[in-house]
Amino acid sequence: MLFRSSASTQNQALNAIVFLYKQVLKKELGIVDAIRARKPKHLPVVLTVEETMLVLSQLSGVKQLMARLLYGSGLRLMECHRLRVKDVNISAKQIIVRDGKGFKDRVTVLAETVIPHLDEHLIRVKALHKDFLGRGYGEVELPYALERKCPNAKYEWGWQYVFPANNISTDPRTKVKRRHHIHESSLQKAVKNAVRLS
């Protein structure tokens, strides 16, 4: 039944047999007339502009804004979730993606249709940030050693997440209570539901 398995399963089985003979049984396997299975190439499923607009219309609020950023600015899911206020340049219509795929920074376009909604969203997030600062919870996790180099940066508006979580959470490593970004599964679930509805 192995021939009906995926390419990676077949290759894993072959690797297991080779490991068994070489490392466990300490025997020479000899010549094995086996061809490594190749993964079939699949074309990605791409929605038309009309289908995309239909899916986006099923979303609302922050989830719709995030999905529009993914679509209009070419952001990946986690790039959108980890987006900081300082990396959004509305006047230049640009977004700086930090530590993207391959840990590379890049600049992408900020879709013009998103700007008014993003502006309104940032006003609400800033008010929320001020409220949390007043209650002693206005800090955010900083990348690398920045927290040590600039201890007050974690409270600054520019370092806050564009899409923060509504609640405070405790960092499991440091036990510090602070705001994190929205959980990645929330947008995935919302888009999945929007696709189903449309």
Side-chain angles (χ1 to χ4, degrees), residues 104-169:
K104 293 178 184 172
D105 294 353
R106 74 177 199 282
V107 178
T108 187
V109 67
L110 175 58
E112 228 171 295
T113 56
V114 177
I115 291 173
H117 306 284
L118 187 58
D119 248 342
E120 290 172 22
H121 172 74
L122 287 174
I123 289 167
R124 286 192 301 273
V125 171
K126 191 169 191 177
L128 196 62
H129 173 57
K130 283 183 179 178
D131 177 51
F132 275 101
L133 273 175
R135 293 193 274 153
Y137 295 115
E139 71 177 83
V140 69
E141 183 182 16
L142 296 176
Y144 310 114
L146 193 63
E147 195 163 352
R148 199 174 62 249
K149 292 176 188 173
C150 307
N152 290 329
K154 60 188 171 189
Y155 301 107
E156 291 174 12
W157 168 237
W159 281 103
Q160 301 304 307
Y161 290 112
V162 173
F163 301 106
N166 292 326
N167 302 317
I168 298 296
S169 59

Side-chain angles (χ1 to χ4, degrees), residues 50-70:
E50 293 78 20
E51 289 170 332
T52 304
M53 291 304 130
L54 187 60
V55 171
L56 289 174
S57 71
Q58 299 298 324
L59 295 165
S60 61
V62 175
K63 303 295 189 302
Q64 186 185 58
L65 178 59
M66 292 176 81
R68 289 175 74 182
L69 271 175
L70 292 176

Side-chain angles (χ1 to χ4, degrees), residues 17-120:
I17 292 168
V18 170
F19 180 84
L20 172 70
Y21 272 83
K22 282 187 176 179
Q23 304 297 325
V24 179
L25 302 175
K26 306 285 186 200
K27 290 184 177 180
E28 195 60 43
L29 188 58
I31 298 171
V32 178
D33 189 22
I35 300 169
R36 293 236 176 236
R38 292 187 182 183
K39 291 182 182 178
K41 292 185 179 178
H42 297 287
L43 290 173
V45 177
V46 180
L47 300 177
T48 65
V49 174
E50 293 78 20
E51 289 170 332
T52 304
M53 291 304 130
L54 187 60
V55 171
L56 289 174
S57 71
Q58 299 298 324
L59 295 165
S60 61
V62 175
K63 303 295 189 302
Q64 186 185 58
L65 178 59
M66 292 176 81
R68 289 175 74 182
L69 271 175
L70 292 176
Y71 179 69
S73 299
L75 296 180
R76 293 178 179 92
L77 181 70
M78 288 312 295
E79 290 172 348
C80 185
H81 279 81
R82 292 179 181 149
L83 193 60
R84 309 268 183 162
V85 172
K86 68 179 189 59
D87 295 325
V88 176
N89 189 336
I90 291 175
S91 59
K93 297 175 187 162
Q94 290 181 337
I95 293 176
I96 300 170
V97 177
R98 308 275 180 193
D99 287 335
K101 193 172 183 180
F103 300 103
K104 293 178 184 172
D105 294 353
R106 74 177 199 282
V107 178
T108 187
V109 67
L110 175 58
E112 228 171 295
T113 56
V114 177
I115 291 173
H117 306 284
L118 187 58
D119 248 342
E120 290 172 22

Side-chain angles (χ1 to χ4, degrees), residues 170-186:
T170 304
D171 189 320
R173 290 169 291 155
T174 62
K175 306 298 181 214
V176 174
K177 288 187 176 182
R178 62 174 125 210
R179 289 182 74 198
H180 200 57
H181 57 71
I182 292 176
H183 196 274
E184 50 270 18
S185 66
S186 63

